[in-house]
Amino acid sequence: NDKLLGFMAKLRPYPANYRSTEHNIDVYALAKILGDEDAMNRARVFVQEMFGHNDRYPKSFAMGTDGAVPCDTTTMQTAIPADGQFWALLAGVEQAKERQVSALSDALQSVEDGGMLTTDEDLIGNAQNRSAGSLRGLRFTNWGNGVQWENTASAMMAMVMFQEKHGDA
């Protein structure tokens, strides 16, 4: 019951009491389907509070909070999660255009510039020469390795949704 609100994770055997941006986006979406305004609001407040909450990445949604104590308000000073950037827009949690632009722009930078866009080689796609070439996509986090297709697809959906809503902003 602090200003961050949101929902905390505490599943055995994990000993921490952290709050995750991704999990709160999930709760928001489920609460929206169920028509639970209170749960939607609690999850929305948490996700929106996570924007700029990581000092290292002030233009993105932070991973979540540390879990040293219940309702810990200390931010995880870790990587920026791809799903936190794209699903905040897709689920409708973050409506502020300037935050959407900021989160998308930062995430879509190349890994060399601190973003998530990277190149990977497809070693499975062509059985004869063992390489189907290079592929571009997004990492799981800005600290991750290799392309993760789930987050690449999420990014594409978020960009299409953003363009439909805002045009070429």
Side-chain angles (χ1 to χ4, degrees):
N1 288 329
D2 55 35
K3 72 175 186 142
L4 297 177
L5 298 178
F7 294 88
M8 181 176 64
K10 174 81 172 158
L11 298 173
R12 287 189 256 170
Y14 194 73
N17 299 282
Y18 69 95
R19 286 177 279 182
S20 158
T21 300
E22 176 193 358
H23 296 163
N24 276 276
I25 292 170
D26 295 344
V27 170
Y28 176 88
L30 177 60
K32 189 175 183 180
I33 291 167
L34 298 175
D36 186 336
E37 295 289 329
D38 181 59
M40 279 176 61
N41 183 59
R42 291 181 65 78
R44 180 190 51 76
V45 167
F46 180 79
V47 172
Q48 290 177 344
E49 286 289 329
M50 287 297 102
F51 185 83
H53 214 259
N54 184 330
D55 296 337
R56 296 163 79 176
Y57 306 105
K59 298 178 181 178
S60 300
F61 292 93
M63 184 82 68
T65 62
D66 284 329
V69 296
C71 295
D72 195 338
T73 59
T74 308
T75 302
M76 290 182 197
Q77 295 297 314
T78 59
I80 296 301
D83 48 21
Q85 313 318 302
F86 306 121
W87 283 101
L89 189 154
L90 288 167
V93 180
E94 182 55 73
Q95 294 293 320
K97 180 181 174 183
E98 61 278 357
R99 285 182 169 200
Q100 292 176 354
V101 169
S102 180
L104 290 173
S105 296
D106 270 18
L108 295 170
Q109 295 294 313
S110 70
V111 295
E112 295 81 14
D113 294 324
M116 299 176 200
L117 185 62
T118 191
T119 301
D120 225 343
E121 187 158 345
D122 181 1
L123 298 176
I124 301 171
N126 188 331
Q128 291 179 341
N129 68 9
R130 300 293 300 154
S131 177
S134 295
L135 305 167
R136 297 280 288 167
L138 293 152
R139 293 177 170 182
F140 182 70
T141 70
N142 63 330
W143 294 3
N145 292 301
V147 171
Q148 189 191 42
W149 300 117
E150 174 188 353
N151 285 314
T152 301
S154 297
M156 297 301 114
M157 291 186 301
M159 288 187 290
V160 167
M161 179 182 252
F162 181 88
Q163 188 173 31
E164 287 176 351
K165 187 173 183 178
H166 302 293
D168 291 331

